[in-house]
Amino acid sequence: MMLHSLRFRLIFMFMLVVMVAVGTVALFASQATTNNLQIYNEAKDDQQLISTMLTAYTQHQSQSALQNLAEQLARSSHRRIVLFDHQRLVIADSERILIGQALPPGPELSITSYSSSSGTPSLLSAPLYIPTDLSSQPPGQGVVTSFQSIVSFTDNSPEASFLTSVNQSLWLAILIAGLTALLLALVFAQTILKPLHTLKTIAERMEQGDLSQRVSITTRGEIGALAHAFNAMADSLSRSEQLRRNLVSDVAHELRNPLMNIRGYLELLQDQVLEPTPETLASLYEETSLLNRLVADLQDVSLAEAGQLHLTRQPIELADVASQAVQIVQPHLAEKQLTLHVSIPSDLPHIEADQERVAQILRNLLSNAIRHTPSQGEICLAACLSEAEVHISVRDTGVGIAPEHLPYLFERFYRADFSRARATGGTGLGLAIVKQVVQAHGGQVTVESQVGKGTCFTFTLPVTALAPAHQDLFPVAFISKERFSPGIRC
């Protein structure tokens, strides 16, 4: 994983760029120094040869002595030496070819015009042409003509020429190294910026409303993790948008049905087609109660999601709250002939919570269990202490929930069985309220289910610092005396 991290890649790229730049400078500098040093040594040797020949000339040595000296120096330096006067007449030639001849005018002197009798130059190096008039000039100045060119030594010593050449080579090496490093940096930057540019492009498309866009980046490390997080965010946004649309559609549907019923009843009453009997008024009251419950549930969910749900926290006894919730759902239990088992330990401490909201959680979970448990089934309400939290569970022996529906049970208006109508499926907000209220108390809610065996909802609430409440299991008239099914744990 370390090899694919962005930090490692950046450090490696920077080190590689620096190494290439320094290596390029070192290579060019070494090569340039070697070449310039060779030129410097040759220039020093030529200067020594020139000085020796001119010293002998100024001492008015004979032509034969100058010829012998030129031949001796030529053998030691492996150079052809030609000495000529101001009229360009050759005084001495180590090859003995041009003696007494006049050199052609102009700076360029061609060795091919003055080859040996064998037709090829006898010396490996270019000839060194030495004019005698250099002896009348100050030291360090003058012109020495060599093969096909004139080499000038005016106001510059060989040392200065060597330093100038080395500096020029270093600047050239720095320029080449800089360009190479820049090219490598651009290549490396492109490899890093390309996935970021892809993310930017996809984000712009999503900003325009196309939430189906996803990033296909398989790079490991931080960039891959960012791409994965981006796709997860896109999935969440897409699902949230779909839920928003479903919410609008569901709310419109949930409100439309009772409103149409109320309007129909009122029109019939207004036209005196229907008498205002107690049954008619009861039906109208039921529809308005449904509307009121739906609006209240929506308000609770919205406040909880916005973090503005008001909670009156105080130490409460879970047994008392559970007793109130059980009494409210008792008619529904009797209607479906269900058996309810309540198991709350006597030494359970007080919980720090809003009593009305906890009762609302229990009512919603019990109502949900009653709704999905067939007749003659069993429901268990149990609680136990775990560290600084109380775990409360509501377990039933209902039809169960398929695994693919479990992650979405606490979303608004989500129904695992989409064929259920409002009359049997409730408002679709009960579990969403449970989740938001539990989280507002600082707890968590989970669900476990097996198709055909039942479902268990468990939520946690924090305990208070007060002493435990000493009490017995509270009596409920319709609680079964029989043991709960061995397959169900409370």
Side-chain angles (χ1 to χ4, degrees):
M1 187 63 182
M2 179 65 179
L3 297 177
H4 300 285
S5 66
L6 184 60
R7 182 192 301 272
F8 175 81
R9 292 171 60 190
L10 288 176
I11 294 176
F12 176 76
M13 290 177 183
F14 287 144
M15 290 181 60
L16 183 60
V17 169
V18 171
M19 290 175 61
V20 169
V22 173
T24 303
V25 172
L27 179 63
F28 272 81
S30 176
Q31 187 67 29
T33 303
T34 301
N35 294 336
N36 290 325
L37 182 62
Q38 183 179 359
I39 295 174
Y40 167 77
N41 291 331
E42 292 177 355
K44 289 288 290 183
D45 293 340
D46 289 348
Q47 191 176 43
Q48 184 66 32
L49 294 176
I50 294 170
S51 176
T52 302
M53 291 296 298
L54 292 180
T55 300
Y57 178 78
T58 54
Q59 291 177 355
H60 304 286
Q61 294 187 11
S62 63
Q63 184 177 357
S64 61
L66 292 175
Q67 178 63 31
N68 293 332
L69 179 61
E71 293 177 359
Q72 181 181 358
L73 293 176
R75 286 192 297 270
S76 61
S77 63
H78 302 285
R79 297 287 302 275
R80 179 180 181 181
I81 299 175
V82 177
L83 179 67
F84 60 95
D85 60 12
H86 62 281
Q87 295 180 349
R88 303 181 71 84
L89 292 176
V90 176
I91 300 174
D93 180 6
S94 60
E95 293 273 332
R96 294 181 176 272
I97 298 176
L98 303 177
I99 298 176
Q101 299 183 20
L103 297 178
E108 295 184 359
L109 301 172
S110 175
I111 185 61
T112 57
S113 301
Y114 307 99
S115 59
S116 61
S117 57
S118 61
T120 57
S122 60
L123 297 175
L124 298 177
S125 301
L128 179 63
Y129 295 88
I130 305 174
T132 57
D133 52 4
L134 282 176
S135 61
S136 63
Q137 298 184 8
Q141 294 186 4
V143 178
V144 179
T145 59
S146 62
F147 178 57
Q148 293 184 341
S149 62
I150 295 180
V151 181
S152 299
F153 297 100
T154 58
D155 299 328
N156 285 318
S157 64
E159 291 81 1
S161 300
F162 171 73
L163 292 176
T164 301
S165 300
V166 170
N167 289 333
Q168 291 176 351
S169 300
L170 283 177
W171 281 112
L172 179 61
I174 292 173
L175 178 61
I176 295 176
L179 293 177
T180 304
L182 178 61
L183 180 61
L184 288 176
L186 291 176
V187 173
F188 293 151
Q190 179 64 21
T191 59
I192 296 177
L193 294 178
K194 184 177 180 179
L196 297 180
H197 178 72
T198 302
L199 285 170
K200 173 178 173 293
T201 303
I202 298 299
E204 290 176 348
R205 294 177 184 175
M206 293 182 63
E207 182 184 10
Q208 297 174 357
D210 186 5
L211 299 181
S212 63
Q213 295 291 325
R214 296 296 182 272
V215 181
S216 58
I217 297 177
T218 57
T219 306
R220 298 182 182 179
E222 288 85 348
I223 299 297
L226 177 61
H228 178 74
F230 185 90
N231 287 335
M233 180 195 68
D235 292 337
S236 178
L237 288 175
S238 179
R239 181 162 187 81
S240 297
E241 177 63 18
Q242 186 62 37
L243 289 176
R244 183 190 67 82
R245 295 176 182 176
N246 294 341
L247 173 64
V248 174
S249 176
D250 291 338
V251 169
H253 174 72
E254 297 291 339
L255 293 176
R256 184 185 299 112
N257 289 340
L259 287 175
M260 290 181 62
N261 291 337
I262 294 174
R263 179 178 178 179
Y265 278 118
L266 292 177
E267 288 178 352
L268 292 176
L269 291 173
Q270 185 178 17
D271 296 338
Q272 298 182 353
V273 176
L274 185 67
E275 295 293 331
T277 61
E279 293 79 7
T280 303
L281 296 178
S283 180
L284 287 173
Y285 179 79
E286 182 181 353
E287 296 293 343
T288 55
S289 298
L290 176 61
L291 283 176
N292 183 70
R293 187 168 68 254
L294 179 62
V295 172
D297 289 348
L298 281 172
Q299 184 179 17
D300 288 342
V301 173
S302 299
L303 289 175
E305 289 180 346
Q308 299 177 357
L309 185 64
H310 178 69
L311 298 176
T312 305
R313 294 177 181 267
Q314 59 183 355
I316 61 175
E317 295 183 3
L318 181 61
D320 294 339
V321 181
S323 178
Q324 297 174 7
V326 168
Q327 294 297 333
I328 293 176
V329 300
Q330 179 180 359
H332 302 288
L333 289 167
E335 180 181 354
K336 296 188 68 173
Q337 300 180 351
L338 301 176
T339 302
L340 175 63
H341 299 263
V342 179
S343 177
I344 299 180
S346 59
D347 59 346
L348 194 67
H350 290 79
I351 59 176
E352 188 75 19
D354 187 317
Q355 182 169 346
E356 293 186 1
R357 293 298 181 182
V358 174
Q360 183 183 21
I361 295 172
L362 293 176
R363 288 197 305 271
N364 287 349
L365 291 179
L366 288 172
S367 298
N368 188 72
I370 293 170
R371 187 179 302 114
H372 297 90
T373 303
S375 299
Q376 308 298 325
E378 295 178 335
I379 299 174
C380 175
L381 172 60
C384 62
L385 179 64
S386 177
E387 297 181 353
E389 293 181 328
V390 173
H391 291 245
I392 304 115
S393 62
V394 177
R395 187 182 297 269
D396 61 60
T397 57
V399 296
I401 304 170
E404 62 269 17
H405 297 296
L406 293 179
Y408 313 114
L409 287 180
F410 298 101
E411 295 179 356
R412 293 175 293 185
F413 296 108
Y414 186 85
R415 293 190 176 97
D417 184 3
F418 297 99
S419 64
R420 287 190 285 112
R422 175 178 51 83
T424 59
T427 63
L429 295 171
L431 294 180
I433 293 175
V434 168
K435 178 182 178 180
Q436 296 298 331
V437 174
V438 169
Q439 290 182 347
H441 281 86
Q444 296 293 330
V445 58
T446 58
V447 57
E448 298 177 358
S449 183
Q450 289 184 339
V451 177
K453 293 184 178 182
T455 303
C456 179
F457 287 90
T458 303
F459 65 96
T460 61
L461 292 175
V463 300
T464 184
L466 298 179
H470 297 286
Q471 60 186 27
D472 297 327
L473 295 179
F474 64 89
V476 180
F478 51 87
I479 294 181
S480 173
K481 300 297 182 180
E482 301 176 359
R483 300 288 296 175
F484 200 66
S485 174
I488 303 295
R489 294 182 295 105
C490 295

PDB file of all heavy atoms in Angstrom, residues 40 171 190 203 220 234 249 254 271 286 294 312 361 365 370 447 468-469 472:
ATOM      1  N   TYR A  40      43.017  22.561 -23.299  1.00  0.00           N
ATOM      2  CA  TYR A  40      43.921  23.425 -22.531  1.00  0.00           C
ATOM      3  C   TYR A  40      45.350  22.880 -22.562  1.00  0.00           C
ATOM      4  O   TYR A  40      46.319  23.629 -22.761  1.00  0.00           O
ATOM      5  CB  TYR A  40      43.405  23.530 -21.098  1.00  0.00           C
ATOM      6  CG  TYR A  40      44.379  24.134 -20.133  1.00  0.00           C
ATOM      7  CD1 TYR A  40      44.598  25.508 -20.113  1.00  0.00           C
ATOM      8  CD2 TYR A  40      45.089  23.330 -19.241  1.00  0.00           C
ATOM      9  CE1 TYR A  40      45.504  26.065 -19.223  1.00  0.00           C
ATOM     10  CE2 TYR A  40      45.988  23.879 -18.356  1.00  0.00           C
ATOM     11  CZ  TYR A  40      46.197  25.257 -18.343  1.00  0.00           C
ATOM     12  OH  TYR A  40      47.086  25.800 -17.462  1.00  0.00           O
ATOM     13  N   TRP A 171      26.974  26.072 -17.834  1.00  0.00           N
ATOM     14  CA  TRP A 171      25.687  26.735 -18.097  1.00  0.00           C
ATOM     15  C   TRP A 171      24.849  25.941 -19.097  1.00  0.00           C
ATOM     16  O   TRP A 171      23.628  25.826 -18.942  1.00  0.00           O
ATOM     17  CB  TRP A 171      25.922  28.160 -18.628  1.00  0.00           C
ATOM     18  CG  TRP A 171      26.261  29.138 -17.550  1.00  0.00           C
ATOM     19  CD1 TRP A 171      27.442  29.781 -17.345  1.00  0.00           C
ATOM     20  CD2 TRP A 171      25.388  29.581 -16.500  1.00  0.00           C
ATOM     21  NE1 TRP A 171      27.396  30.597 -16.250  1.00  0.00           N
ATOM     22  CE2 TRP A 171      26.128  30.502 -15.710  1.00  0.00           C
ATOM     23  CE3 TRP A 171      24.084  29.296 -16.149  1.00  0.00           C
ATOM     24  CZ2 TRP A 171      25.582  31.147 -14.593  1.00  0.00           C
ATOM     25  CZ3 TRP A 171      23.528  29.932 -15.034  1.00  0.00           C
ATOM     26  CH2 TRP A 171      24.271  30.831 -14.278  1.00  0.00           C
ATOM     27  N   GLN A 190       1.280  15.214 -15.008  1.00  0.00           N
ATOM     28  CA  GLN A 190       0.156  14.750 -15.808  1.00  0.00           C
ATOM     29  C   GLN A 190      -0.410  13.445 -15.258  1.00  0.00           C
ATOM     30  O   GLN A 190      -1.624  13.244 -15.232  1.00  0.00           O
ATOM     31  CB  GLN A 190       0.599  14.571 -17.264  1.00  0.00           C
ATOM     32  CG  GLN A 190      -0.492  14.072 -18.206  1.00  0.00           C
ATOM     33  CD  GLN A 190      -1.622  15.053 -18.346  1.00  0.00           C
ATOM     34  OE1 GLN A 190      -1.474  16.249 -18.080  1.00  0.00           O
ATOM     35  NE2 GLN A 190      -2.789  14.582 -18.775  1.00  0.00           N
ATOM     36  N   ALA A 203     -17.531  15.797 -11.559  1.00  0.00           N
ATOM     37  CA  ALA A 203     -18.213  16.645 -10.579  1.00  0.00           C
ATOM     38  C   ALA A 203     -18.990  17.761 -11.263  1.00  0.00           C
ATOM     39  O   ALA A 203     -20.105  18.107 -10.839  1.00  0.00           O
ATOM     40  CB  ALA A 203     -17.195  17.226  -9.595  1.00  0.00           C
ATOM     41  N   ARG A 220      -4.457   2.874  -7.208  1.00  0.00           N
ATOM     42  CA  ARG A 220      -4.455   2.629  -5.781  1.00  0.00           C
ATOM     43  C   ARG A 220      -3.952   3.861  -5.038  1.00  0.00           C
ATOM     44  O   ARG A 220      -3.604   4.859  -5.631  1.00  0.00           O
ATOM     45  CB  ARG A 220      -3.575   1.425  -5.453  1.00  0.00           C
ATOM     46  CG  ARG A 220      -4.051   0.121  -6.077  1.00  0.00           C
ATOM     47  CD  ARG A 220      -3.160  -1.025  -5.653  1.00  0.00           C
ATOM     48  NE  ARG A 220      -3.554  -2.283  -6.272  1.00  0.00           N
ATOM     49  CZ  ARG A 220      -2.922  -3.430  -6.079  1.00  0.00           C
ATOM     50  NH1 ARG A 220      -1.880  -3.477  -5.275  1.00  0.00           N
ATOM     51  NH2 ARG A 220      -3.331  -4.526  -6.683  1.00  0.00           N
ATOM     52  N   ALA A 234     -21.498   9.859  -4.900  1.00  0.00           N
ATOM     53  CA  ALA A 234     -22.423   9.952  -6.032  1.00  0.00           C
ATOM     54  C   ALA A 234     -23.586   8.982  -5.857  1.00  0.00           C
ATOM     55  O   ALA A 234     -24.748   9.326  -6.153  1.00  0.00           O
ATOM     56  CB  ALA A 234     -21.677   9.660  -7.336  1.00  0.00           C
ATOM     57  N   SER A 249     -43.607  12.108  -3.973  1.00  0.00           N
ATOM     58  CA  SER A 249     -44.692  11.288  -4.529  1.00  0.00           C
ATOM     59  C   SER A 249     -45.501  10.616  -3.418  1.00  0.00           C
ATOM     60  O   SER A 249     -46.738  10.593  -3.454  1.00  0.00           O
ATOM     61  CB  SER A 249     -44.100  10.238  -5.471  1.00  0.00           C
ATOM     62  OG  SER A 249     -45.100   9.369  -5.956  1.00  0.00           O
ATOM     63  N   GLU A 254     -50.095   9.959   0.103  1.00  0.00           N
ATOM     64  CA  GLU A 254     -50.638   9.765   1.440  1.00  0.00           C
ATOM     65  C   GLU A 254     -51.639  10.853   1.805  1.00  0.00           C
ATOM     66  O   GLU A 254     -52.621  10.593   2.501  1.00  0.00           O
ATOM     67  CB  GLU A 254     -49.493   9.734   2.466  1.00  0.00           C
ATOM     68  CG  GLU A 254     -48.515   8.590   2.289  1.00  0.00           C
ATOM     69  CD  GLU A 254     -49.143   7.250   2.612  1.00  0.00           C
ATOM     70  OE1 GLU A 254     -50.161   7.226   3.321  1.00  0.00           O
ATOM     71  OE2 GLU A 254     -48.606   6.225   2.167  1.00  0.00           O
ATOM     72  N   ASP A 271     -74.766  17.831  -0.396  1.00  0.00           N
ATOM     73  CA  ASP A 271     -75.871  17.569  -1.323  1.00  0.00           C
ATOM     74  C   ASP A 271     -77.011  16.792  -0.657  1.00  0.00           C
ATOM     75  O   ASP A 271     -77.975  16.398  -1.335  1.00  0.00           O
ATOM     76  CB  ASP A 271     -75.356  16.777  -2.545  1.00  0.00           C
ATOM     77  CG  ASP A 271     -74.352  17.594  -3.349  1.00  0.00           C
ATOM     78  OD1 ASP A 271     -74.373  18.834  -3.236  1.00  0.00           O
ATOM     79  OD2 ASP A 271     -73.539  16.982  -4.066  1.00  0.00           O
ATOM     80  N   GLU A 286     -61.645   9.613  11.541  1.00  0.00           N
ATOM     81  CA  GLU A 286     -60.514   8.718  11.309  1.00  0.00           C
ATOM     82  C   GLU A 286     -59.598   9.250  10.211  1.00  0.00           C
ATOM     83  O   GLU A 286     -58.362   9.190  10.322  1.00  0.00           O
ATOM     84  CB  GLU A 286     -61.022   7.339  10.935  1.00  0.00           C
ATOM     85  CG  GLU A 286     -59.906   6.321  10.712  1.00  0.00           C
ATOM     86  CD  GLU A 286     -60.435   4.961  10.304  1.00  0.00           C
ATOM     87  OE1 GLU A 286     -61.665   4.769  10.318  1.00  0.00           O
ATOM     88  OE2 GLU A 286     -59.604   4.099   9.968  1.00  0.00           O
ATOM     89  N   LEU A 294     -49.941  11.826  10.094  1.00  0.00           N
ATOM     90  CA  LEU A 294     -48.957  11.888   9.015  1.00  0.00           C
ATOM     91  C   LEU A 294     -48.170  13.193   9.071  1.00  0.00           C
ATOM     92  O   LEU A 294     -46.938  13.201   8.962  1.00  0.00           O
ATOM     93  CB  LEU A 294     -49.655  11.750   7.662  1.00  0.00           C
ATOM     94  CG  LEU A 294     -48.756  11.818   6.417  1.00  0.00           C
ATOM     95  CD1 LEU A 294     -47.754  10.683   6.428  1.00  0.00           C
ATOM     96  CD2 LEU A 294     -49.604  11.774   5.155  1.00  0.00           C
ATOM     97  N   THR A 312     -36.737  16.586  26.253  1.00  0.00           N
ATOM     98  CA  THR A 312     -36.746  16.902  27.690  1.00  0.00           C
ATOM     99  C   THR A 312     -36.120  15.722  28.425  1.00  0.00           C
ATOM    100  O   THR A 312     -36.801  14.764  28.818  1.00  0.00           O
ATOM    101  CB  THR A 312     -38.175  17.164  28.181  1.00  0.00           C
ATOM    102  OG1 THR A 312     -38.778  18.198  27.387  1.00  0.00           O
ATOM    103  CG2 THR A 312     -38.163  17.600  29.646  1.00  0.00           C
ATOM    104  N   ILE A 361     -41.064   5.647  20.632  1.00  0.00           N
ATOM    105  CA  ILE A 361     -40.233   4.600  20.025  1.00  0.00           C
ATOM    106  C   ILE A 361     -40.838   3.224  20.263  1.00  0.00           C
ATOM    107  O   ILE A 361     -40.979   2.408  19.339  1.00  0.00           O
ATOM    108  CB  ILE A 361     -38.808   4.659  20.596  1.00  0.00           C
ATOM    109  CG1 ILE A 361     -38.114   5.963  20.199  1.00  0.00           C
ATOM    110  CG2 ILE A 361     -37.980   3.462  20.110  1.00  0.00           C
ATOM    111  CD1 ILE A 361     -36.780   6.176  20.886  1.00  0.00           C
ATOM    112  N   LEU A 365     -42.347   0.572  17.450  1.00  0.00           N
ATOM    113  CA  LEU A 365     -41.784  -0.762  17.263  1.00  0.00           C
ATOM    114  C   LEU A 365     -42.814  -1.843  17.558  1.00  0.00           C
ATOM    115  O   LEU A 365     -42.884  -2.853  16.839  1.00  0.00           O
ATOM    116  CB  LEU A 365     -40.554  -0.938  18.159  1.00  0.00           C
ATOM    117  CG  LEU A 365     -39.321  -0.100  17.780  1.00  0.00           C
ATOM    118  CD1 LEU A 365     -38.186  -0.356  18.760  1.00  0.00           C
ATOM    119  CD2 LEU A 365     -38.856  -0.404  16.361  1.00  0.00           C
ATOM    120  N   ILE A 370     -46.697  -5.877  15.637  1.00  0.00           N
ATOM    121  CA  ILE A 370     -48.082  -6.370  15.557  1.00  0.00           C
ATOM    122  C   ILE A 370     -48.540  -6.453  14.110  1.00  0.00           C
ATOM    123  O   ILE A 370     -49.202  -7.413  13.695  1.00  0.00           O
ATOM    124  CB  ILE A 370     -49.007  -5.457  16.386  1.00  0.00           C
ATOM    125  CG1 ILE A 370     -48.673  -5.572  17.876  1.00  0.00           C
ATOM    126  CG2 ILE A 370     -50.477  -5.788  16.141  1.00  0.00           C
ATOM    127  CD1 ILE A 370     -49.369  -4.537  18.738  1.00  0.00           C
ATOM    128  N   VAL A 447     -31.287  -3.834  13.401  1.00  0.00           N
ATOM    129  CA  VAL A 447     -32.354  -4.783  13.089  1.00  0.00           C
ATOM    130  C   VAL A 447     -31.730  -6.087  12.621  1.00  0.00           C
ATOM    131  O   VAL A 447     -30.731  -6.085  11.898  1.00  0.00           O
ATOM    132  CB  VAL A 447     -33.307  -4.205  12.011  1.00  0.00           C
ATOM    133  CG1 VAL A 447     -32.548  -3.841  10.740  1.00  0.00           C
ATOM    134  CG2 VAL A 447     -34.424  -5.190  11.695  1.00  0.00           C
ATOM    135  N   PRO A 468     -30.024   2.438  40.914  1.00  0.00           N
ATOM    136  CA  PRO A 468     -30.962   1.603  40.186  1.00  0.00           C
ATOM    137  C   PRO A 468     -32.346   1.652  40.794  1.00  0.00           C
ATOM    138  O   PRO A 468     -32.524   1.841  41.992  1.00  0.00           O
ATOM    139  CB  PRO A 468     -30.351   0.198  40.305  1.00  0.00           C
ATOM    140  CG  PRO A 468     -28.917   0.423  40.631  1.00  0.00           C
ATOM    141  CD  PRO A 468     -28.877   1.683  41.426  1.00  0.00           C
ATOM    142  N   ALA A 469     -33.346   1.500  39.935  1.00  0.00           N
ATOM    143  CA  ALA A 469     -34.735   1.493  40.381  1.00  0.00           C
ATOM    144  C   ALA A 469     -35.092   0.084  40.810  1.00  0.00           C
ATOM    145  O   ALA A 469     -35.058  -0.843  40.001  1.00  0.00           O
ATOM    146  CB  ALA A 469     -35.652   1.960  39.251  1.00  0.00           C
ATOM    147  N   ASP A 472     -40.226  -4.849  40.683  1.00  0.00           N
ATOM    148  CA  ASP A 472     -40.490  -6.150  40.110  1.00  0.00           C
ATOM    149  C   ASP A 472     -40.892  -5.991  38.657  1.00  0.00           C
ATOM    150  O   ASP A 472     -41.146  -4.883  38.173  1.00  0.00           O
ATOM    151  CB  ASP A 472     -41.615  -6.857  40.885  1.00  0.00           C
ATOM    152  CG  ASP A 472     -41.193  -7.112  42.330  1.00  0.00           C
ATOM    153  OD1 ASP A 472     -39.981  -7.338  42.541  1.00  0.00           O
ATOM    154  OD2 ASP A 472     -42.079  -7.056  43.218  1.00  0.00           O
TER     155      ASP A 472
END
